[in-house]
Amino acid sequence: MEATEYIWMDGELVKWDDAQVHVLSHGIHYGTGAFEGIRAYKTDKGPAIFRLTDHIDRLRRSTKALGIPFEYSVEEIVEVCKEVMRVNGLDSGYIRPITFFGTGSIGLNPAGANVHLAIAAWEWGAYLGEEGMKNGIRVAVSSWRRIGHNSFMPDAKGTGGYINSALAKTAAVNAGYDEAILLNENGLVAEGSGENIFVVRKGVVHTPPTASGALDGITRESVRLLLEEDGHAIKETSITRTDLYYADEVFFTGTAAEVTPIREVDDRPIGDGKPGPITRRAQELYMGTAHGQLDLHPEWLEYA
Ligand code: PPE
């Protein structure tokens, strides 16, 4: 990761190296935090931040679900994200807002602890590699189950939940795959370690509901709408492991992953082992819209 110059932290811009917290912060010990990931793309009108307000609104919703005080308005934080892009001279990049309990309380109950909010931005290339974007990646179904609605909140972006993602991702990479797919406790497909999943069969595009353990992804919603408006049939429905093996096309979506084709699941080629036409169309529509080259949803671009 290449450092930028400033990080906004608790109300002020500080130098990248000075954005520090105490080692006894509650969030470090117990994962009591929430975060976002947002991409900005270079355009003629300056950096276009993709669905910035929707991301900050999800941050607010995640903190509400997790019981973390959110002392700012969405509008204020939207402005801070733009400022962080500007002061770092970035014309594209990835913005990471994170909020978590700091010091002031001992034990599990965070009551009495202060709350930090920090916003950093840096350049981030293709999450699953340029090669993966072109030719597709190899994924494996994980032996780790996606955290369930009885034990955590898979549809809130809580920092603590990401130990589940980190275990699955690490195991997949150590076994020679690019990424993991997690099933829920009922054996239904939830999502990737940091991506939502889409499965195409016989021309119909399927994606699992949040009830299956998927995050309510902003890229997922965007791609779904773009494909629908392009005339494709989309179904939000339960997906089994066999559905993956029988699929004509499978792809991931996410802010970091954008639209990443999957060419193999558990060593079985998907379709003919190359990214299919609907995956390619989803990539074109999403990337074109996010870069401001297609004028399909100009309201999704918020300029820094
Ligand atoms: N599921 C998970 C578990 C997830 O972390 C993400 C985003 C998504 C789905 C897609 O959501 P959205 O970005 O709103 O379309 N993962 C973020 C963090 C990745 C990381 O490695 O850190 C991201 O893509 O920014």
Side-chain angles (χ1 to χ4, degrees):
M1 177 202 266
E2 203 161 312
T4 50
E5 206 174 348
Y6 296 105
I7 292 177
W8 183 94
M9 194 170 171
D10 299 328
E12 56 181 357
L13 288 167
V14 298
K15 287 281 192 186
W16 176 281
D17 286 334
D18 296 334
Q20 308 279 354
V21 292
H22 198 277
V23 73
L24 293 179
S25 293
H26 200 274
I28 294 178
H29 293 243
Y30 309 119
T32 45
F35 72 101
E36 271 304 319
I38 309 161
R39 267 195 197 269
Y41 294 93
K42 185 177 177 179
T43 75
D44 298 343
K45 292 191 253 173
I49 310 177
F50 190 73
R51 301 192 68 172
L52 172 59
T53 300
D54 292 326
H55 277 281
I56 302 306
D57 195 53
R58 184 171 65 187
L59 180 65
R60 186 193 54 75
R61 282 204 312 277
S62 296
T63 59
K64 182 179 183 190
L66 293 159
I68 303 166
F70 193 75
E71 307 286 0
Y72 302 87
S73 68
V74 168
E75 294 73 25
E76 278 173 294
I77 300 309
V78 161
E79 285 314 309
V80 173
C81 290
K82 294 180 183 176
E83 191 186 357
V84 171
M85 287 295 295
R86 287 195 305 263
V87 296
N88 286 306
L90 291 167
D91 45 27
S92 67
Y94 183 86
I95 307 171
R96 167 60 55 88
I98 181 162
T99 181
F100 52 95
F101 282 110
T103 51
S105 101
I106 301 170
L108 272 298
N109 185 353
N114 59 358
V115 177
H116 296 289
L117 173 61
I119 301 175
W122 61 88
E123 307 250 20
W124 201 356
Y127 187 58
L128 294 155
E130 286 297 341
E131 221 276 318
M133 283 301 244
K134 251 190 243 134
N135 300 318
I137 58 166
R138 297 177 56 248
V139 304
V141 171
S142 186
S143 65
W144 294 100
R145 296 295 154 256
R146 179 73 181 136
I147 48 171
H149 292 273
N150 282 321
S151 47
F152 199 56
M153 289 176 258
D155 47 354
K157 226 170 151 56
T159 57
Y162 277 81
I163 186 70
N164 175 241
S165 290
L167 287 168
K169 174 80 183 193
T170 309
V173 170
N174 288 345
Y177 298 94
D178 300 308
E179 182 53 290
I181 292 175
L182 288 97
L183 309 180
N184 66 22
E185 293 288 354
N186 296 320
L188 297 172
V189 174
E191 57 181 354
S193 74
E195 311 89 358
N196 287 113
I197 192 164
F198 285 76
V199 172
V200 183
R201 189 159 179 224
K202 296 183 179 165
V204 180
V205 184
H206 305 80
T207 194
T210 54
S212 286
L215 181 75
D216 188 6
I218 290 171
T219 320
R220 168 182 179 266
E221 198 215 313
S222 308
V223 165
R224 181 177 166 163
L225 197 64
L226 289 167
L227 283 176
E228 243 161 26
E229 289 168 353
D230 196 48
H232 299 276
I234 318 272
K235 265 198 212 159
E236 186 176 300
T237 183
S238 301
I239 292 173
T240 65
R241 186 173 191 148
T242 336
D243 291 330
L244 297 172
Y245 299 161
Y246 287 169
D248 301 319
E249 302 180 37
V250 185
F251 60 88
F252 278 140
T253 66
T255 298
E258 298 164 316
V259 177
T260 304
I262 294 174
R263 67 178 158 93
E264 228 180 83
V265 177
D266 293 342
D267 306 312
R268 293 156 174 83
I270 297 301
D272 57 7
K274 293 193 202 87
I278 296 182
T279 306
R280 285 282 178 239
R281 186 68 186 143
Q283 279 185 318
E284 271 168 31
L285 289 167
Y286 179 72
M287 296 306 263
T289 302
H291 283 90
Q293 289 150 355
L294 296 177
D295 202 29
L296 297 170
H297 284 278
E299 76 281 9
W300 287 346
L301 306 188
E302 297 174 52
Y303 295 92

